[in-house]
C-alpha cells in the first residue's frame, strides 16, 4: 500500500459528504465489521452524448481504509459511463493506494458494493459487503448515514462526542 497516498486520502478525503441532487445512491453494510458506506452519483451528458458520471461522493462509518478507497474511487469515477463504472472491481477502485493488506480487502469491496448498489439498486455478490438490509426506497432515504442509522433522531438534535484515542 502506498502510505503517502493513503495518508493524504485519510487526512483530506476527496468527495466526502452527501449529495443532495444525486441521481443515484447506494448503501452497503458489512455484517462482519459493522461498517457502512454510502455513495451518491450525479450524471451528465458529455460532448459525445454519453451519459457519464459527473461527480461521486460518499459517507462512511468505517475504518480508514474504506474512507481512503472511497476517496480515490470517487475521483476515478468521474467521466465514466454506468457500464464502465460497473466493470470496476474493488481492486481497480483501490488501485491508486496500491495493494491492500489481506485483512483490508473487504474495505475495498464495501466501496465497490456501494457503487454497485447505486448503479443497479442491488449489492455485490459478496458476503462481506451486503446491501444494508434496512435500506429504504431512494425517495425516502435519510439525508446522511447518521440519520439512516438512527431514523428516530432525524428531527432532534444529535450530539456527537468524539472519543479520545
Ligand atoms: Fe470493515 Fe474496513 S474494517 S470496512
Amino acid at each position: 500500500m502506498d502510505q503517502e497516498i493513503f495518508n493524504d486520502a485519510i487526512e483530506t478525503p476527496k468527495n466526502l459528504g452527501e449529495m443532495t441532487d444525486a441521481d443515484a445512491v447506494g448503501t452497503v453494510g458489512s455484517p462482519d465489521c459493522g461498517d457502512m458506506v454510502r455513495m451518491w452519483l450525479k450524471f451528465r451528458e458529455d460532448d459525445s452524448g454519453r451519459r457519464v458520471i459527473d461527480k461521486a461522493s460518499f459517507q462512511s462509518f468505517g475504518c480508514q481504509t474504506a474512507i481512503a478507497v472511497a476517496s480515490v474511487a470517487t475521483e476515478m469515477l468521474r467521466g465514466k459511463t454506468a457500464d464502465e463504472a460497473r466493470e470496476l472491481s474493488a481492486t481497480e477502485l483501490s488501485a491508486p493506494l496500491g495493494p491492500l493488506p489481506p485483512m483490508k480487502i473487504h474495505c475495498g469491496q464495501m466501496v465497490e458494493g456501494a457503487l454497485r448498489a447505486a448503479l443497479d439498486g442491488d449489492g455485490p455478490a459478496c458476503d462481506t459487503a451486503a446491501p444494508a438490509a434496512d435500506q429504504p426506497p431512494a425517495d425516502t432515504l435519510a439525508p446522511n448515514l447518521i440519520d439512516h442509522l438512527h431514523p428516530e433522531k432525524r428531527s432532534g438534535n444529535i450530539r456527537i462526542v468524539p472519543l479520545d484515542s
Side-chain angles (χ1 to χ4, degrees):
M1 190 156 62
D2 186 313
Q3 202 61 44
E4 192 174 332
I5 297 175
F6 182 85
N7 290 344
D8 182 59
I10 294 303
E11 289 164 14
T12 55
K14 308 289 189 301
N15 310 308
L16 177 63
E18 66 176 299
M19 193 190 302
T20 55
D21 61 344
D23 296 315
V25 59
T27 306
V28 292
S30 167
D32 293 334
C33 66
D35 295 335
M36 293 183 74
V37 175
R38 177 171 288 176
M39 186 178 291
W40 289 265
L41 300 174
K42 180 73 178 173
F43 289 87
R44 67 175 171 85
E45 196 170 296
D46 71 7
D47 294 342
S48 56
R50 301 186 321 156
R51 188 171 184 260
V52 299
I53 295 171
D54 184 33
K55 53 186 176 180
S57 71
F58 75 97
Q59 284 187 335
S60 173
F61 281 141
C63 68
Q64 292 186 332
T65 304
I67 293 170
V69 174
S71 176
V72 296
T74 49
E75 289 284 278
M76 185 186 302
L77 289 171
R78 194 173 297 126
K80 295 204 178 327
T81 65
D83 285 343
E84 290 168 344
R86 199 175 283 114
E87 289 177 5
L88 293 170
S89 67
T91 302
E92 291 167 321
L93 290 167
S94 60
L97 301 171
L100 299 179
M103 290 293 289
K104 293 295 182 181
I105 287 175
H106 89 274
C107 313
Q109 291 171 335
M110 290 278 287
V111 176
E112 178 193 11
L115 171 61
R116 290 183 185 277
L119 291 170
D120 300 334
D122 58 18
C126 169
D127 61 3
T128 59
D134 61 342
Q135 182 167 327
D139 61 352
T140 62
L141 283 173
N144 58 49
L145 278 181
I146 289 177
D147 291 348
H148 181 77
L149 291 169
H150 304 288
E152 74 283 0
K153 295 181 179 176
R154 282 183 206 174
S155 60
N157 293 325
I158 299 174
R159 181 166 169 256
I160 299 176
V161 181
L163 298 173
D164 293 325
S165 55

